Amino acid sequence: MSRLVVENLTKVFSLGFFSRRYIKAVNNISFDIKEGEIVSLVGESGSGKTTTAKMILRLIPPTSGRILFEGKDIWKDIKSQEALRDFRRKVHAVFQDPFASYNPFYPVERTLWQAVNLLEKSPSNKKEALELIKESLVRVGIDPKDILGKYPHQISGGQKQRVMIARCWILKPLLIIADEPTSMVDASSRGGIIQLLEELREEQGTSIMFITHDLGLAYYVSDNIFVMKDGEIVERGHPDKVVLEPTHEYSKLLVGSIPKLYRKLEGL
Amino acid sequence: MTFKPMLKFLLRRFVFLLVTYIVATTIVFILPRIIPGNPLAQMLSNLSRVAQANPEAIRAAEKTLMEEFGVDKPILVQYGQFILKALKGDLGTSISYYPRKVIDLIVPVIPWTLVLLLPATLVAWILGNTLGAMAAYRRNTWIDKGVLTAALIVSQIPYYWLGMIFIFLFGVKLGWLPVQGAYSQGTIPSFSWEFFVDALKHYIMPFASIVLSAMGGWAIGMRVMVINELGSDYALFSEYLGMKDKRIFKYAFRNSLLPQITGLALNLGTVLGGSLITEIVFNYPGTGYLLFKALTTLDYPMIQGIFVILIASVYLANFLVDFLYAWIDPRIRLGQEE
Amino acid sequence: MKNREILFKMENVKAYYKLEEVTVKAVDDVSLEIFEDEVIGIVGESGSGKTTLSNVISMNIMKPLTLVEGKVFLKINGEFEEISSMSREEVKKKFWGKEITIVPQAAMNALMPTIKMSKYIEHLAQSHGIDKNELLSKAEKRFEEVGLDPLWLKRYPFELSGGMKQRAVIAIATILNPVLLIVDEPTSALDVVNQKIFLKVLMQMKKMGIVKSIVFITHDIATVRQIADRMVVMYAGKIAEISPIEEIVQKPLHPYTQGLLNSVLTPEPEIRKRGITTIPGAPPNLVNPPSGCRFHPRCSYAMDICKEKVPPLKEIEKNRKVACFLYMEERK
Amino acid sequence: MFSLMIRPLFKNKKFIIGISIFIFFLLLGILGPVFYKVDPTEMTWDYEQPPSSEHPLGTDTYGRDVLAQLFHGIRSSLYIGFLAAIISSIIGTIVGSFSAVKKGITDDILMAITNIVLTTPSMLIAILIASYLKVRSMEAVAVILGLFQWPWYARAIRAQLMSVTSREYVYLSIMAGYSDTKLVIEDLLPTIATYAFMSFVLFINGGIMGEAGLSLIGLGPTQGISLGLMLQWAVLLEAVRRGLWWWFVPPGIAIVAITASLMIISTTMDEVFNPKLREE
């Protein structure tokens, strides 16, 4: 069964007061994500992939089209505060910029407390909650001593992203939107973060949607790839099909331009 | 090369300034009519005090005033009349100089204000920017620190107080310069050499006090801006290409001037306010002094008239600055602003 | 690999950031040669000292960065000149633009925004005491070579698109035919299509002999792989490995290089098969780097000697240098 | 975190100088009138006396004690400055944050208004309004001044909030089920706090300078004594041209010292905080 269904989703931004201009950021896209599936939405900046992610996360409303999560339209069928909290528990995100993911005024663990407080059955007391937080940190390979009480600028980017995944581990959402989770992390930390996300899927059947410009990452992790260009999905399918036999002109150009490790690019 | 984007920019600025000017003059119009305590009635009752004690003259003045303010008509009609008359150059009749027209009283004092304000503002702007840029160029040397500290303090000295200190020091104590007015009493303005020298002597102190206290702010702003520009990517790349330091500095200076021009436009109102007060301190026969007189005699038609003109000139100057800006910055000229 | 002429060399260079309270040992005892007619890729994670190394190569040394020890030589007219004995100002006057040019990270904003590019070229000619018409016609030619209509010279930089700007920057950077071009993370702000165009133009400059050698600094191994002849792997202020590119990709020697290569994700079937691994831990703080081999706390092959002694960078195969005791033990 | 932010300030020499001068004058304004119990309005026959042991700063034309006037003047000027700053900060914060949070047409309209006020020569409008008020209390003067100095601050607040609201940590707080109020209090306000404080300091300057300007043109407070009124009396009664320096020099020095010290505080705060923020 599909966990998330996106139907004819469109987002138009309007700019300017006197001379209004319209920008179609997302243009009539449809796709779905199954239980335990990892998909990637691949595109350059300005392709509309981040706007799509924000609409699915219920951060900005679509202009038209529907987003169905577990059969319910997330923009029309969520009416009560409780229903919204339930949605927030079930759909979560890891963002690109580990520095911008933390408010510099608070210790790092604030983000985990936020997650604990969002839980349906929050731990009855502070001590239990702290235990849960520590457990989540251990789970993502961090010694709680290393980060508890620290401020964001005191820990590394890789650690910050791991704490974000710890947050997801506490919430155990059904769908995680991972918006470029590794692009600002050093190469040697990158693999660990991807592995942690994959483990979440193995253990809990979490569906994951990577939003990325990195076709290499998408090729490696995904069951299904959607290539976006100027607000539209121009190519979709199994990674091998998209990468090895692209059909659309843009995906051909994209695949042909990405530097590879074991092959030289043509025409250099 | 097409100048269309530049025209578009200027047109947009013009419309904006026009709208703003209409708002400002509306405030000028509406204030006496909405402020509690009915200033209009006060004005009428003041008449007997300020106008010559001739009852007929008072009644005549009262009548003119009632007509000019049109208090018996609906407010929109009043507003329409106010605008129409203002467009024709009729700003009403002065009370304290009844029956002279406000416009006739204002026109002769405007040149004095312009002669003081324009050169002083420009000189302060140029000197301040130059000093600030020099400080940035020799960053962290004693020149930089000296300029910065001096600018920080000087920029906080109000024009008029500096003027008072000048009068006291150079006028009263040392007796070098005349202490008030724009020319010696008893001389009649003319285009003679003697009059010019006399006027110049009177000019130095008010001019210097405005220049000195205004330039500190420009210097501080310019210094920060040039330092930022010198650290920007194009400055680095130019350095890597072996461009001469002087040239890179010129680039930074040029690019820092652009925001300073905007700053000049935004500051014109404040500068004008400050120089009006300087005129009062020096008994300098400009618009400020006339305004002061009008304020002390509660000559509201005159006050209104002065404001309609002053605000208009601020906007005109603003528009001129926009023009200059568009002319200097290719990004605006070619239509890629903001 | 044929024996090539050396264009540039540095010997035992230590370049530290001397801050008020601490000293960051960003480049610590590094020796390196750059040959004529080669593209050398310097690869490392953030904080590995790769950008500092590029600053040393160009002698762009400004407080708080200090050259503590070591010498830097550049071959000028067939003779090595010790540029490390000169001040930054001197190097700048004598060599920048003409012999060494750096293309900065944010190449998008590298052009003076409020004058026309032709004017900029004229200023450049003035600075170097060249006839401006001569340089302008050269610029026109160079613009054509990088695939830009020379008419663009009469325009302002902001009228160019992102990819065009990048090309204009290369054209201008190479206008005085510098022997050594240093390119610092130039492609990270570009989309892949423009990245490729940029690399193409860069290689073209070299093939045409406009620049002799290129130093390419990046964190992206796959990009270096595309254009470099040799790759230098930096870790915590030291060189871990220098090898010809094919060999290092096929058979990385240093455990760090192995880890780095195993974390590369490119859209290739080999990668999907290989999987992705992580190097445990995080790069060290360069204020107090670990004793011995700086990689030893994260290294799965670490031996006792690694904690005590600093492994020297040694040639263990032809043209391949590595700083790791694993291979020195093997040799014994 | 708060102490972490404050500490570097007190390591900065310029900041310490600035804050010391300001506190000194603040204390003069608060405690001066308490300890120096001379009535500043009491007229005596000792008129236009130079400083003496009896009148440390001499007397004016009406025989009033200048030092007593100075203490009261500092107090009133600071009071007006603070009040004007509070008004400007409130208006600016409300306009700026509404613009940033509501976006769309609300933003367009509020920013249009802001730009209009920004281009309006505010000092002139202040003079105009003041001229129609027959009785002007200190508070009225503060309101008139406060009404016109907020636009640049509103624009800056809007810009800052705009950039903060598109930060990931704000999204993450929303995704943690935060209400709008909680979001504003926990995530948005702290980010603009330092900037708001710096601006507040500059608004005080605007208020003090503005009061002096209005007073000199004859539109200052109609009751009480302020630094501006002292200067106005000195001008009106020709103190300058008659060389009565003790009358007009002290209030000027007080104005310059207070505003310069606040300026130093604001610029050093900018120096200390900005690079930090950039690093992060």
Side-chain angles (χ1 to χ4, degrees):
Chain A
M1 189 193 129
S2 290
R3 192 161 265 168
L4 184 86
V5 179
V6 170
E7 281 175 3
N8 309 334
L9 193 64
T10 298
K11 177 72 188 178
V12 181
F13 288 110
S14 61
L15 295 169
F17 185 49
F18 295 109
S19 52
R20 228 165 238 290
R21 282 171 298 144
Y22 296 95
I23 293 171
K24 233 176 199 177
V26 176
N27 189 5
N28 197 25
I29 63 168
S30 304
F31 60 88
D32 64 276
I33 304 173
K34 296 182 180 58
E35 284 172 15
E37 190 182 32
I38 295 184
V39 304
S40 290
L41 200 56
V42 180
E44 302 286 357
S45 60
S47 62
K49 60 185 195 302
T50 300
T51 307
T52 309
K54 282 182 189 163
M55 286 190 280
I56 296 173
L57 286 167
R58 211 177 181 282
L59 292 172
I60 55 171
T63 308
S64 64
R66 298 200 299 167
I67 301 166
L68 302 174
F69 178 71
E70 295 195 301
K72 273 194 244 161
D73 186 323
I74 66 164
W75 282 97
K76 296 217 179 78
D77 296 340
I78 295 178
K79 294 193 181 89
S80 70
Q81 207 54 41
E82 203 27 63
L84 181 60
R85 282 177 74 85
D86 190 55
F87 172 76
R88 294 280 179 229
R89 277 193 283 272
K90 286 178 178 159
V91 179
H92 219 72
V94 176
F95 290 113
Q96 172 180 21
D97 187 347
F99 298 90
S101 291
Y102 294 85
N103 188 331
F105 287 89
Y106 300 97
V108 176
E109 66 261 28
R110 170 182 188 241
T111 200
L112 300 177
W113 283 103
Q114 285 182 338
V116 169
N117 291 332
L118 183 62
L119 284 177
E120 203 171 358
K121 275 187 239 143
S122 292
S124 49
N125 58 43
K126 247 190 141 165
K127 214 179 136 206
E128 259 175 63
L130 193 64
E131 280 312 308
L132 183 64
I133 285 174
K134 282 184 181 160
E135 193 190 341
S136 73
L137 287 171
V138 171
R139 185 63 197 68
V140 297
I142 292 179
D143 186 342
K145 280 204 304 291
D146 288 348
I147 75 127
L148 289 181
K150 291 252 174 80
Y151 283 90
H153 64 272
Q154 294 168 307
I155 70 171
S156 75
Q159 279 174 311
K160 286 190 187 106
Q161 287 304 59
R162 280 171 187 264
V163 174
M164 278 288 115
I165 295 172
R167 179 173 150 127
C168 288
W169 186 86
I170 291 174
L171 286 171
K172 304 200 169 46
L174 300 178
L175 172 64
I176 293 175
I177 309 283
D179 188 355
E180 306 271 18
T182 59
S183 73
M184 293 178 74
V185 173
D186 265 327
S188 62
S189 312
R190 206 169 289 165
I193 286 157
I194 293 167
Q195 276 166 6
L196 283 170
L197 285 168
E198 283 180 326
E199 281 166 21
L200 275 182
R201 175 204 21 201
E202 301 307 321
E203 288 168 15
Q204 292 153 21
T206 316
S207 307
I208 299 173
M209 177 168 175
F210 280 90
I211 308 286
T212 182
H213 71 283
D214 183 353
L215 196 55
L217 167 70
Y219 179 64
Y220 177 73
V221 297
S222 318
D223 303 316
N224 221 341
I225 292 181
F226 308 112
V227 180
M228 264 186 105
K229 161 87 175 154
D230 296 335
E232 291 178 44
I233 293 179
V234 295
E235 177 111 29
R236 60 173 77 210
H238 187 272
D240 281 331
K241 180 189 157 273
V242 171
V243 168
L244 304 178
E245 306 145 23
T247 52
H248 191 273
E249 280 311 308
Y250 175 70
S251 15
K252 278 185 199 164
L253 183 65
L254 196 64
V255 173
S257 302
I258 295 174
K260 320 267 187 321
L261 194 56
Y262 297 107
R263 304 172 170 70
K264 279 223 169 190
L265 288 182
E266 279 166 39
L268 272 185
Chain B
M1 190 186 299
T2 167
F3 278 90
K4 234 175 129 192
M6 177 162 163
L7 283 179
K8 223 172 126 189
F9 165 78
L10 288 175
L11 187 72
R12 250 192 23 219
R13 287 296 297 167
F14 181 74
V15 170
F16 173 75
L17 289 173
L18 194 69
V19 169
T20 319
Y21 181 62
I22 291 171
V23 171
T25 40
T26 309
I27 295 175
V28 173
F29 165 81
I30 270 181
L31 267 176
R33 290 163 173 84
I34 56 160
I35 278 194
N38 194 358
L40 262 182
Q42 279 174 26
M43 202 152 79
L44 292 175
S45 72
N46 266 332
L47 261 181
S48 51
R49 191 161 56 81
V50 292
Q52 290 77 7
N54 177 350
E56 257 168 57
I58 292 174
R59 229 167 295 139
E62 208 178 278
K63 206 171 153 242
T64 336
L65 211 63
M66 293 290 282
E67 258 167 37
E68 274 175 4
F69 274 78
V71 276
D72 44 345
K73 292 176 197 126
I75 197 149
L76 275 176
V77 177
Q78 290 178 36
Y79 186 59
Q81 283 181 343
F82 170 78
I83 299 267
L84 277 177
K85 276 190 182 167
L87 285 176
K88 279 186 227 152
D90 179 3
L91 295 169
T93 313
S94 162
I95 298 172
S96 40
Y97 295 90
Y98 186 82
R100 296 183 63 187
K101 284 285 185 188
V102 167
I103 189 88
D104 299 333
L105 288 160
I106 297 176
V107 167
V109 299
I110 285 181
W112 288 111
T113 300
L114 284 184
V115 159
L116 179 61
L117 180 65
L118 280 185
T121 309
L122 286 179
V123 168
W125 190 79
I126 292 167
L127 273 182
N129 283 331
T130 316
L131 269 180
M134 266 170 53
Y137 188 53
R138 298 174 196 275
R139 204 182 166 183
N140 289 330
T141 59
W142 63 268
I143 299 181
D144 179 24
K145 279 172 192 151
V147 167
L148 188 65
T149 324
L152 208 71
I153 293 168
V154 170
S155 69
Q156 295 307 309
I157 302 179
Y159 306 0
Y160 34 88
W161 189 67
L162 196 61
M164 290 183 204
I165 299 292
F166 278 3
I167 294 173
F168 178 67
L169 278 182
F170 303 113
V172 178
K173 281 277 148 187
L174 298 167
W176 291 351
L177 293 164
V179 294
Q180 61 176 325
Y183 45 85
S184 300
Q185 270 180 326
T187 52
I188 297 156
S190 63
F191 286 102
S192 68
W193 178 249
E194 286 78 27
F195 180 74
F196 177 73
V197 172
D198 182 54
L200 195 66
K201 275 189 185 164
H202 284 83
Y203 186 70
I204 293 174
M205 287 204 294
F207 174 79
S209 63
I210 294 179
V211 169
L212 259 183
S213 55
M215 75 189 209
W218 296 121
I220 295 172
M222 191 64 175
R223 179 181 168 272
V224 174
M225 218 104 63
V226 169
I227 286 174
N228 278 341
E229 291 288 328
L230 283 177
S232 66
D233 296 315
Y234 72 81
L236 272 178
F237 186 50
S238 302
E239 214 181 359
Y240 293 154
L241 288 173
M243 194 77 93
K244 286 225 167 79
D245 282 357
K246 257 198 192 135
R247 177 66 70 187
I248 298 174
F249 176 67
K250 273 186 196 162
Y251 287 166
F253 184 68
R254 186 198 167 99
N255 292 346
S256 310
L257 268 186
L258 295 170
Q260 291 294 81
I261 292 175
T262 321
L264 182 62
L266 286 178
N267 261 306
L268 285 172
T270 324
V271 172
L272 182 63
S275 76
L276 293 182
I277 300 166
T278 308
E279 288 182 7
I280 296 169
V281 169
F282 280 93
N283 289 338
Y284 190 89
T287 326
Y289 197 64
L290 187 69
L291 176 66
F292 182 60
K293 279 272 147 66
L295 284 169
T296 43
T297 53
L298 292 178
D299 186 347
Y300 283 107
M302 179 103 94
I303 297 173
Q304 268 192 9
I306 291 176
F307 275 105
V308 168
I309 288 183
L310 284 186
I311 296 173
S313 47
V314 168
Y315 286 128
L316 189 68
N318 245 303
F319 188 64
L320 287 179
V321 170
D322 284 338
F323 200 81
L324 188 71
Y325 195 95
W327 183 59
I328 294 183
D329 191 341
R331 283 167 290 197
I332 287 183
R333 197 163 67 230
L334 300 174
Q336 203 220 347
E337 349 102 52
E338 278 140 51
Chain C
M1 192 175 285
K2 55 185 186 281
N3 261 339
R4 289 209 200 118
E5 293 282 315
I6 292 172
L7 174 69
F8 168 95
K9 61 182 177 188
M10 62 162 83
E11 290 166 356
N12 307 91
V13 166
K14 292 184 179 177
Y16 298 165
Y17 290 92
K18 295 202 163 163
L19 306 175
E20 265 172 47
E21 284 158 14
V22 294
T23 300
V24 181
K25 297 169 184 157
V27 167
D28 207 3
D29 199 11
V30 167
S31 301
L32 178 68
E33 285 145 2
I34 300 170
F35 298 112
E36 281 182 6
D37 192 28
E38 82 164 339
V39 177
I40 187 162
I42 300 179
V43 172
E45 299 176 82
S46 54
S48 62
K50 60 182 191 299
T51 294
T52 312
L53 189 66
S54 84
N55 283 328
V56 173
I57 295 175
S58 54
M59 279 303 290
N60 179 23
I61 291 179
M62 250 191 303
K63 268 195 268 179
L65 181 61
T66 327
L67 190 67
V68 179
E69 245 183 80
K71 289 178 177 172
V72 183
F73 299 92
L74 181 68
K75 194 193 259 172
I76 311 279
N77 301 327
E79 299 218 1
F80 281 112
E81 213 164 316
E82 192 195 332
I83 56 175
S84 52
S85 64
M86 303 179 194
S87 69
R88 178 178 187 266
E89 286 304 304
E90 269 177 274
V91 178
K92 182 163 95 183
K93 259 194 205 124
K94 274 181 138 169
F95 303 123
W96 284 8
K98 284 176 285 199
E99 309 289 344
I100 307 175
T101 297
I102 308 167
V103 179
Q105 275 190 3
M108 295 291 281
N109 307 318
L111 295 169
M112 164 70 185
T114 49
I115 57 171
K116 289 175 187 165
M117 285 177 272
S118 54
K119 193 91 204 159
Y120 189 77
I121 301 287
E122 282 176 26
H123 291 161
L124 210 53
Q126 259 173 27
S127 283
H128 288 282
I130 310 170
D131 179 59
K132 62 182 183 192
N133 290 325
E134 191 186 310
L135 200 65
L136 268 176
S137 56
K138 212 171 157 193
E140 280 171 21
K141 214 175 120 225
R142 192 60 41 85
F143 261 50
E144 254 170 46
E145 281 159 2
V146 300
L148 284 173
D149 191 322
L151 282 176
W152 283 112
L153 269 169
K154 301 237 161 53
R155 303 292 195 108
Y156 293 94
F158 62 85
E159 296 179 77
L160 301 170
S161 72
M164 288 163 83
K165 254 187 230 169
Q166 207 87 19
R167 272 180 272 174
V169 167
I170 296 191
I172 293 174
T174 56
I175 196 152
L176 297 165
N177 298 21
V179 288
L180 190 61
L181 191 66
I182 300 169
V183 199
D184 190 356
E185 295 275 9
T187 55
S188 46
L190 292 175
D191 59 68
V192 286
V193 177
N194 277 316
Q195 265 178 35
K196 188 179 169 188
I197 296 171
F198 178 87
L199 295 179
K200 200 172 153 187
V201 171
L202 200 63
M203 292 312 284
Q204 195 188 338
M205 292 293 112
K206 197 188 142 250
K207 277 178 201 151
M208 293 171 69
I210 291 165
V211 297
K212 268 192 189 144
S213 302
I214 297 174
V215 179
F216 197 96
I217 294 148
T218 184
H219 64 277
D220 184 4
I221 293 183
T223 302
V224 164
R225 157 86 182 97
Q226 297 304 317
I227 57 164
D229 302 306
R230 287 193 303 153
M231 182 157 103
V232 177
V233 180
M234 293 276 296
Y235 182 78
K238 285 182 164 294
I239 293 179
E241 182 168 0
I242 308 180
S243 286
I245 193 82
E246 295 291 337
E247 295 167 39
I248 205 169
V249 169
Q250 295 307 330
K251 192 184 134 207
L253 295 177
H254 198 286
Y256 176 65
T257 317
Q258 292 167 5
L260 213 52
L261 276 164
N262 279 335
S263 66
V264 173
L265 287 180
T266 53
E268 292 174 280
E270 292 88 338
I271 301 278
R272 217 172 140 93
K273 232 177 281 159
R274 175 202 74 189
I276 184 167
T277 52
T278 319
I279 308 170
N285 181 341
L286 291 182
V287 175
N288 263 324
S291 64
C293 172
R294 292 185 178 176
F295 188 60
H296 85 255
R298 301 174 73 186
C299 182
S300 49
Y301 306 102
M303 304 169 287
D304 288 341
I305 185 172
C306 302
K307 289 172 201 153
E308 287 146 24
K309 284 174 84 176
V310 180
L313 186 67
K314 263 198 180 158
E315 187 160 25
I316 55 134
E317 277 174 34
K318 191 163 167 29
N319 292 325
R320 299 201 67 177
K321 288 184 184 172
V322 66
C324 181
F325 286 117
L326 279 179
Y327 302 96
M328 294 166 203
E329 297 270 315
E330 262 176 18
R331 293 263 147 145
K332 265 181 199 166
Chain D
M1 194 63 193
F2 193 67
S3 64
L4 253 172
M5 285 170 57
I6 297 296
R7 211 172 300 138
L9 273 180
F10 284 92
K11 278 188 190 159
N12 188 313
K13 249 187 248 156
K14 276 188 278 175
F15 181 79
I16 293 177
I17 293 173
I19 198 114
S20 317
I21 297 174
F22 180 71
I23 287 175
F24 175 70
F25 276 90
L26 190 68
L27 289 178
L28 280 191
I30 295 171
L31 300 178
V34 178
F35 289 106
Y36 189 73
K37 287 199 164 85
V38 177
D39 183 356
T41 56
E42 195 201 340
M43 303 186 188
T44 64
W45 288 107
D46 272 348
Y47 62 89
E48 298 186 359
Q49 291 299 308
S52 63
S53 55
E54 199 181 336
H55 300 289
L57 280 179
T59 57
D60 69 2
T61 305
Y62 300 113
R64 296 175 297 192
D65 186 90
V66 174
L67 184 62
Q69 287 185 25
L70 187 69
F71 286 149
H72 283 88
I74 290 174
R75 179 184 270 197
S76 317
S77 284
L78 281 173
Y79 172 64
I80 291 174
F82 267 101
L83 207 58
I86 290 171
I87 292 164
S88 308
S89 293
I90 290 175
I91 301 177
T93 310
I94 290 175
V95 171
S97 37
F98 256 82
S99 243
V101 175
K102 291 276 166 196
K103 302 201 174 81
I105 293 179
T106 320
D107 180 33
D108 290 338
I109 293 173
L110 284 177
M111 276 305 110
I113 294 174
T114 307
N115 284 335
I116 287 177
V117 181
L118 190 68
T119 355
T120 311
S122 52
M123 190 64 196
L124 296 184
I125 301 286
I127 292 173
L128 191 69
I129 296 176
S131 74
Y132 286 109
L133 296 175
K134 199 146 194 218
V135 180
R136 293 177 298 269
S137 59
M138 302 262 174
E139 291 78 9
V141 170
V143 170
I144 294 171
L145 293 168
L147 279 178
F148 292 98
Q149 51 175 351
W150 54 268
W152 57 269
Y153 167 72
R155 290 220 305 205
I157 288 291
R158 170 177 173 273
Q160 289 207 341
L161 283 180
M162 286 274 203
S163 91
V164 173
T165 46
S166 59
R167 291 269 171 87
E168 277 88 346
Y169 65 75
V170 170
Y171 292 142
L172 284 163
S173 292
I174 295 173
M175 280 160 38
Y178 272 33
S179 65
D180 285 357
T181 339
K182 202 170 173 191
L183 189 73
V184 168
I185 293 171
E186 278 196 23
D187 280 314
L188 302 188
L189 282 185
T191 4
I192 58 169
T194 51
Y195 185 76
F197 184 76
M198 275 163 23
S199 309
F200 186 82
V201 164
L202 293 182
F203 283 147
I204 300 178
N205 270 2
I208 292 172
M209 294 268 211
E211 186 276 331
L214 275 184
S215 293
L216 267 164
I217 216 160
L219 298 170
T222 42
Q223 311 119 330
I225 297 166
S226 69
L227 294 174
L229 285 175
M230 287 177 73
L231 287 177
Q232 193 218 355
W233 294 330
V235 168
L236 223 50
L237 295 165
E238 294 289 353
V240 184
R241 287 183 192 87
R242 291 191 290 131
L244 313 178
W245 57 268
W246 58 89
W247 189 357
F248 65 88
V249 171
I253 289 181
I255 291 177
V256 174
I258 294 172
T259 51
S261 68
L262 288 172
M263 185 79 183
I264 292 171
I265 292 174
S266 170
T267 43
T268 44
M269 279 180 70
D270 194 37
E271 275 168 31
V272 170
F273 290 134
N274 261 342
K276 277 242 159 114
L277 290 174
R278 259 178 243 137
E279 259 171 48
E280 278 164 6

